[in-house]
Amino acid sequence: MFRCFKEAFNIAYENLICISPLILFMIVLSLYLGAAKISIVNALSLCMTIFTLIIMFAIFFAGWFYMVKMAIINSRFSLINIHKDFELLKLFPAGVADYFLTFIYFIFCAAFILIFIYTIDYAIAIKFIGKVEMELKLYAAIKDLTNLRYLFADLTYEQIIKLSGWLFLYVVSTIIYLLFTLMWIPYIVFKTKNVFLALWYSTKDAFTSPKILTLLLSLIVINCAFAVINAYIILNPLIFFIMTIIYIFFIVHMSMLIFLYYDKKYTYEHEED
C-alpha cells in the first residue's frame, strides 16, 4: 500500500496540469454559489440553481476524471507527451464528450442514495437519541467546521451527548457509504458507463478486498488532519493559503491513488462485458 501511495504521488507530481481544471472549477463554483445566495428568491430559482450545479459538476467530473484515468494509463504506456503543449489538458473536452451523460446519472444516483441513507439516520436519531435543542447561531457553527472547536463550550452536557450521538451516526453512515462507493468512479471510467453496474462492482469489491478499507481509512485520517490544521491556521492568511495549495495537490494525489489502485488490482482481473 505504501508503494501505491508513493507511485500515485509521483504520477500526481508528473501531471501537475491536473490541478488547473480543479482550481478553475473551485473558483467558478465559489463565485456561482456566492451569486446564488443572492439570486435564490423562490422555488423556481432554487431549482434552476440546483440544475446548473448538476451540469457544472457533471462537466467537471467527466473531463477531470478522464484526465486522471489517462494520466494513470500514460504512466504505464507513455501514450502522450505530458510535458509538451499540455497534451493531458487537451483530453478534458474528450472526457466531457464521452462521460457527460454518465456523470449526470451518477450525480442523481449518488444524491438519491445519500438522501435515503441520511433520512434513515434522521429517523433513527429522532427515535433513539432525541432532538438537540439549540439556538440558530449554534446550528450555523456546525456548518462552519472552523467553529466546531468553540461549539461545545456553549452547549449543556445533555446537548453534547445528543449531538455526539447524531454526529457519530452520520459519520459512520458516511464512512460505510464511502467504503461501498470508493471504486464507483474508477469502474465508470475504466470499465462500464452503466452507473448501476459500476456501483454493483464497487459494492462487491468492498466485501472481497480488505485493502479498500485500509485505503479509505488512510484517506479519512489525512483529511481529518487537514481539517484540524486548517481550523487552527485559518486566521493566518499566508499559512492558510499554503495549506490550501497543499490540500489541492492532495486531492489530485488522492484521485490518482484510487485510480491507480483500481488499475493495478482490477484492470487485468476484469474484462469488458
Side-chain angles (χ1 to χ4, degrees):
M1 183 63 69
F2 176 76
R3 183 181 299 177
C4 200
F5 267 89
K6 183 180 179 181
E7 187 174 347
F9 180 89
N10 292 333
I11 297 174
Y13 180 75
E14 293 171 357
N15 296 274
L16 286 176
I17 193 63
C18 288
I19 292 179
S20 300
L22 179 59
I23 292 179
L24 180 60
F25 176 72
M26 293 172 66
I27 293 173
V28 172
L29 182 63
S30 298
L31 293 174
Y32 181 76
L33 290 177
K37 290 181 180 180
I38 302 174
S39 61
I40 296 177
V41 294
N42 51 41
L44 178 60
S45 58
L46 176 61
C47 290
M48 289 301 298
T49 298
I50 295 175
F51 175 78
T52 304
L53 286 173
I54 291 173
I55 298 298
M56 290 171 60
F57 273 99
I59 291 173
F60 173 72
F61 286 164
W64 196 67
F65 284 124
Y66 183 71
M67 287 179 61
V68 174
K69 169 190 174 180
M70 293 308 298
I72 297 298
I73 294 176
N74 193 64
S75 68
R76 289 192 287 118
F77 299 110
S78 298
L79 299 176
I80 57 176
N81 185 352
I82 58 177
H83 300 293
K84 182 179 179 182
D85 297 329
F86 302 105
E87 292 296 328
L88 189 61
L89 186 60
K90 293 179 182 179
L91 296 177
F92 188 94
V96 174
D98 205 15
Y99 291 98
F100 174 72
L101 286 179
T102 302
F103 276 101
I104 290 286
Y105 301 143
F106 166 80
I107 291 170
F108 276 108
C109 185
F112 175 81
I113 294 173
L114 282 173
I115 291 172
F116 178 75
I117 292 173
Y118 291 152
T119 300
I120 294 177
D121 285 344
Y122 179 81
I124 293 174
I126 289 294
K127 183 173 180 61
F128 296 102
I129 301 176
K131 291 184 178 180
V132 183
E133 301 294 341
M134 294 189 299
E135 299 179 10
L136 290 177
K137 65 178 183 179
L138 295 181
Y139 282 108
I142 295 176
K143 296 179 182 179
D144 185 356
L145 293 179
T146 59
N147 291 328
L148 281 179
R149 57 187 174 135
Y150 305 111
L151 174 64
F152 289 98
D154 296 325
L155 297 176
T156 65
Y157 177 77
E158 182 180 0
Q159 288 175 322
I160 292 175
I161 295 298
K162 288 185 177 181
L163 181 59
S164 298
W166 278 73
L167 291 176
F168 177 79
L169 180 62
Y170 277 90
V171 167
V172 170
S173 298
T174 302
I175 292 176
I176 293 174
Y177 168 81
L178 291 175
L179 176 63
F180 290 127
T181 60
L182 189 63
M183 292 297 142
W184 193 2
I185 292 178
Y187 267 116
I188 288 175
V189 297
F190 274 101
K191 181 176 175 61
T192 176
K193 293 182 182 179
N194 186 318
V195 173
F196 300 103
L197 186 59
L199 177 59
W200 164 248
Y201 287 142
S202 179
T203 303
K204 184 173 64 174
D205 287 340
F207 288 104
T208 58
S209 180
K211 286 187 177 181
I212 290 180
L213 178 59
T214 303
L215 177 61
L216 175 61
L217 292 178
S218 300
L219 297 177
I220 290 174
V221 169
I222 297 173
N223 270 289
C224 289
F226 273 106
V228 171
I229 293 172
N230 286 338
Y232 284 93
I233 66 172
I234 193 171
L235 297 180
N236 189 315
L238 179 59
I239 299 179
F240 184 75
F241 174 77
I242 295 173
M243 286 302 300
T244 300
I245 297 299
I246 294 175
Y247 185 69
I248 290 174
F249 178 79
F250 167 70
I251 294 175
V252 176
H253 174 241
M254 176 176 62
S255 302
M256 294 289 183
L257 176 62
I258 295 172
F259 276 58
L260 180 64
Y261 180 85
Y262 173 94
D263 185 61
K264 284 183 174 295
K265 183 170 178 59
Y266 301 113
T267 295
Y268 302 107
E269 294 182 8
H270 299 295
E271 296 182 3
E272 278 291 335
D273 294 330

